[in-house]
Amino acid sequence: MKQRLHDLRHLSYMIILPLLHLVYRMLNHDRGEVYSLVTGFDRLIPFNKYFILPYMLWSLFIFTMMLYFFAKNRKVYFKVLLTMIISLLINYLIYSVFQTTVPRPAVLGADFWSGAVRFLYFIDNPYNCFPSGHVVTSFAVMYGIYRTSDIDKRVAFLGKSAVILITLSTLFLKQHTILDVLASILLAYIVMTFVELYNLNEIRGWAGRVLVLLSTRPGLKTRENKYENLS
């Protein structure tokens, strides 16, 4: 029973990710001077509405892979989670001082895919592009896959394929530029390297403290967190 409570507590740390999204929503509006990082390469990439599928499945992919890491290798789970948290916080810091945008095409089709893209554009303003949250978290998972030595080959193949498709979707849907993508890949790698310098208990402590900090927001329940060694 005690082990199950420990497991639930460790899994609960994933709630930090949707809580961090609240910060993204606060920053995702025109705050004055906005820059464009669109290059000639980006102009060569055609808009493709069908990439809305991997783009919208991103949250499910992240959650599924985190559950897999949790069951397969607890150390990798915490390293990937902390990499995501730190990377997203860096993203938000950049958004707050350097706001970028990507011009969006007019989507006029009456089919399901066109409607899905229009819905995405409606709920997500065209700001906060550099770096990409989709890409930085996906590549945190990618690096986690490479650090799980006994990972099932089918899971590894599907996971890597999903990361590639999600990354491409940000470009083909005109949500991000190639510079956004490259910066995200580099950021995830640097943060993962930094995280690996710390031992597991310190990683758990970081995740727990961030959860406590976020839980002190008005309207969210607070509680005392105690950190114990993993069994």
Side-chain angles (χ1 to χ4, degrees), residues 19-34 87-101 123-131 217:
L19 288 176
L20 282 175
H21 189 68
L22 298 176
V23 181
Y24 173 86
R25 302 298 298 178
M26 293 170 56
L27 295 171
N28 192 26
H29 59 86
D30 188 349
R31 301 190 308 278
E33 191 170 10
V34 182
S87 297
L88 289 174
L89 289 174
I90 293 174
N91 276 11
Y92 301 155
L93 177 61
I94 294 174
Y95 298 162
S96 67
V97 297
F98 181 69
Q99 189 174 48
T100 63
T101 188
I123 63 173
D124 186 24
N125 293 328
Y127 306 107
N128 299 351
C129 303
F130 177 88
R217 290 173 58 88

Side-chain angles (χ1 to χ4, degrees), residues 187-230:
L187 176 60
Y189 177 78
I190 292 173
V191 174
M192 174 64 82
T193 302
F194 170 79
V195 165
E196 290 189 319
L197 296 177
Y198 288 82
N199 64 45
L200 184 56
N201 287 335
E202 289 173 319
I203 290 173
R204 291 184 58 243
W206 267 90
R209 283 189 286 274
V210 172
L211 180 59
V212 170
L213 178 63
L214 290 171
S215 67
T216 58
R217 290 173 58 88
L220 294 177
K221 183 178 180 181
T222 61
R223 64 179 177 84
E224 179 183 1
N225 284 267
K226 297 179 180 179
Y227 307 106
E228 302 175 51
N229 292 334
L230 288 174

